[in-house]
Amino acid sequence: AEYKLQRFMAQDAVVSAQSSRDVVALRSAVMRASRLGIDQDTMDMARHSLQVLSTEEMLQIAMRNNVTGHLQKCIDVAQVRGADSELIKKAQAMMDKSLAERNLYAIMGGSEEKKVEKLTQAIEEATTAGVSPEEIEEAKQMLETEKERAKEKEASKEKPQIDEVESRLRTAINLQETGALLKAIKLAKRSDDAVRENPEYAVGRCTHEESIKEAEQLVAFLEVDLQLPRAIKSRDQQKGNKL
């Protein structure tokens, strides 16, 4: 009679702990009931309930610690074991928020490649996941800065690049000064040689054959123009000596 009473009390304790969803009480009750050998169906249900409650307990601890890798594993286990759906939803929301926040800061501190695109998407995901308004605002300010930077970069691409070699040649030709012309011609020839010999250097550059030819012709003309008065003077001196 005493044994039957103990079994009845053990079974009652199991049912009561299940109803109250008290994982500590249920764990103790299941251990005691297992020793006394209560009804098998009741034991099976109690053990299942204990597994579910233990899983929920583990999930709640993971949520407090908020370590994303461990939290995700606990969510997966909770889904398989049929834990409370609202608790799982809350844990998933926390997980999504942590990942979105981490992704947002990674992109904010990351490389410049496609930053406007990536940051725009990260802000949308972070807003949906419930990341704090302060963090969202900080990211939006950076996004505006990146947009301006991207515009400036695009505008600089559209501007034609100045050919310094060609510019120097044209300046020397306009000045019509032999020394400046010779220096500009020398520089242009070196640049053209580098363009022909080095494919990497040649990107975005051209040769200057026409301008070099024009400059060399001008040098020749200036030399003749300079030497002509000397020749006339020399000839006049020779005539004077003969007289």
Side-chain angles (χ1 to χ4, degrees):
E2 179 67 25
Y3 180 69
K4 284 183 180 180
L5 179 61
Q6 288 183 1
R7 285 182 63 189
F8 176 78
M9 290 176 63
Q11 186 160 324
D12 186 61
V14 166
V15 173
S16 176
Q18 277 183 269
S19 300
S20 63
R21 297 181 61 83
D22 185 337
V23 66
V24 176
L26 183 58
R27 189 176 290 122
S28 176
V30 166
M31 288 176 65
R32 186 164 184 271
S34 180
R35 289 195 303 270
L36 292 170
I38 67 168
D39 175 65
Q40 189 61 46
D41 288 342
T42 304
M43 275 298 295
D44 289 343
M45 288 179 63
R47 282 175 175 147
H48 175 70
S49 296
L50 180 59
Q51 185 183 57
V52 172
L53 290 173
S54 296
T55 301
E56 291 175 356
E57 182 183 46
M58 176 182 67
L59 183 55
Q60 288 168 338
I61 292 169
M63 289 169 68
R64 285 197 295 272
N65 294 333
N66 197 15
V67 178
T68 51
H70 181 60
L71 180 56
Q72 185 60 64
K73 288 178 183 176
C74 291
I75 291 170
D76 294 340
V77 172
Q79 288 172 333
V80 171
R81 292 181 178 175
D84 181 65
S85 60
E86 287 303 313
L87 180 62
I88 292 173
K89 192 182 293 184
K90 187 177 177 183
Q92 190 63 59
M94 178 181 285
M95 178 78 181
D96 293 343
K97 180 181 176 182
S98 294
L99 290 175
E101 190 175 53
R102 183 181 297 179
N103 182 53
L104 183 64
Y105 277 102
I107 291 170
M108 287 172 71
S111 66
E112 301 300 314
E113 187 180 358
K114 295 184 179 179
K115 194 157 189 173
V116 171
E117 245 177 79
K118 292 177 181 177
L119 195 50
T120 301
Q121 185 177 349
I123 289 171
E124 289 176 2
E125 291 173 356
T127 303
T128 303
V131 174
S132 73
E134 293 80 9
E135 290 171 305
I136 296 293
E137 184 57 34
E138 183 183 350
K140 283 181 176 178
Q141 288 175 5
M142 176 176 277
L143 178 60
E144 290 306 312
T145 302
E146 290 300 326
K147 282 180 178 178
E148 287 300 318
R149 189 179 295 173
K151 283 180 186 177
E152 289 172 7
K153 193 174 180 181
E154 198 59 37
S156 67
K157 284 182 183 177
E158 292 172 3
K159 291 178 183 176
Q161 291 186 346
I162 297 171
D163 187 338
E164 296 292 344
V165 175
E166 181 67 22
S167 177
R168 186 164 180 172
L169 275 169
R170 300 318 308 174
T171 300
I173 289 169
N174 291 334
L175 286 174
Q176 296 191 8
E177 198 276 312
T178 305
L181 280 163
L182 291 173
K183 287 180 181 178
I185 290 167
K186 187 176 180 180
L187 176 66
K189 285 182 175 180
R190 283 182 178 174
S191 175
D192 286 5
D193 288 342
V195 167
R196 295 186 190 97
E197 294 169 7
N198 190 339
E200 292 181 5
Y201 179 79
V203 176
R205 292 181 172 86
C206 61
T207 54
H208 310 84
E209 289 91 346
E210 291 300 319
S211 294
I212 290 172
K213 185 177 179 181
E214 183 183 349
E216 287 178 333
Q217 288 174 347
L218 182 56
V219 169
F221 174 78
L222 291 172
E223 286 294 331
V224 170
D225 196 43
L226 183 64
Q227 291 173 13
L228 186 59
R230 292 178 185 172
I232 293 171
K233 185 178 179 181
S234 176
R235 189 184 63 186
D236 290 345
Q237 284 178 346
Q238 287 175 1
K239 283 182 180 180
N241 292 335
K242 287 180 181 178
L243 293 173

